[in-house]
Coordinates of all heavy atoms in Angstrom, one line a residue:
A78 N 131.0 82.5 116.1 CA 129.8 82.1 116.7 C 129.7 82.7 118.1 O 128.6 83.1 118.6 CB 129.7 80.6 116.8
G79 N 130.8 82.7 118.8 CA 130.8 83.4 120.1 C 130.4 84.8 120.1 O 129.7 85.3 120.9
F80 N 130.9 85.5 119.1 CA 130.6 86.9 118.9 C 129.1 87.1 118.6 O 128.4 88.0 119.1 CB 131.4 87.6 117.8 CG 132.9 87.7 118.0 CD1 133.8 87.7 117.0 CD2 133.4 87.7 119.3 CE1 135.1 87.8 117.2 CE2 134.7 87.8 119.6 CZ 135.6 87.9 118.5
D81 N 128.5 86.2 117.8 CA 127.1 86.3 117.5 C 126.2 86.1 118.7 O 125.2 86.8 118.7 CB 126.8 85.2 116.4 CG 127.3 85.5 115.1 OD1 127.6 86.6 114.8 OD2 127.5 84.5 114.2
F82 N 126.6 85.3 119.6 CA 125.7 85.0 120.8 C 126.1 85.7 122.1 O 125.4 85.7 123.0 CB 125.7 83.5 121.0 CG 124.9 82.8 120.0 CD1 125.5 82.3 118.8 CD2 123.5 82.6 120.2 CE1 124.8 81.6 117.9 CE2 122.8 81.9 119.2 CZ 123.4 81.4 118.1
A83 N 127.3 86.4 122.1 CA 127.7 87.1 123.3 C 126.9 88.3 123.6 O 126.5 89.0 122.7 CB 129.2 87.5 123.2
K84 N 126.5 88.5 124.8 CA 125.6 89.6 125.2 C 126.4 90.7 126.0 O 125.7 91.6 126.5 CB 124.5 89.0 126.1 CG 123.6 88.0 125.4 CD 122.6 87.4 126.3 CE 121.8 86.3 125.6 NZ 120.8 85.6 126.5
G85 N 127.7 90.5 126.2 CA 128.4 91.4 127.1 C 128.6 92.8 126.5 O 128.6 93.0 125.3
D86 N 128.9 93.7 127.4 CA 129.4 95.1 127.0 C 130.8 95.0 126.5 O 131.2 95.9 125.7 CB 129.3 96.0 128.2 CG 127.9 96.2 128.8 OD1 127.1 96.9 128.1 OD2 127.6 95.6 129.8
A87 N 131.5 94.0 126.8 CA 132.8 93.7 126.3 C 132.9 92.2 126.2 O 132.3 91.4 126.9 CB 133.9 94.3 127.1
V88 N 133.7 91.7 125.2 CA 133.9 90.3 124.9 C 135.4 90.0 125.0 O 136.2 90.6 124.4 CB 133.4 89.9 123.6 CG1 133.7 88.4 123.3 CG2 131.9 90.2 123.5
I89 N 135.7 89.0 125.9 CA 137.1 88.5 126.0 C 137.2 87.2 125.3 O 136.4 86.3 125.5 CB 137.5 88.4 127.4 CG1 137.5 89.8 128.1 CG2 138.9 87.7 127.6 CD1 137.8 89.7 129.6
T90 N 138.2 87.0 124.4 CA 138.4 85.7 123.8 C 139.7 85.1 124.3 O 140.7 85.8 124.5 CB 138.5 85.8 122.2 OG1 139.6 86.7 121.9 CG2 137.2 86.5 121.7
M91 N 139.7 83.8 124.5 CA 140.9 83.2 125.0 C 140.8 81.7 124.7 O 139.7 81.2 124.3 CB 141.1 83.4 126.5 CG 139.9 82.8 127.4 SD 140.0 83.4 129.1 CE 141.6 82.9 129.6
D92 N 142.0 81.0 124.8 CA 142.0 79.6 124.5 C 141.6 78.8 125.7 O 141.7 79.3 126.9 CB 143.4 79.2 124.0 CG 143.8 79.7 122.7 OD1 142.8 80.2 122.0 OD2 145.0 79.7 122.3
A93 N 141.3 77.5 125.5 CA 140.8 76.7 126.6 C 141.9 75.9 127.3 O 141.6 75.2 128.3 CB 139.8 75.7 126.1

Side-chain angles (χ1 to χ4, degrees):
F80 293 155
D81 286 339
F82 286 89
K84 300 175 182 177
D86 298 287
V88 177
I89 296 174
T90 63
M91 61 192 305
D92 292 346

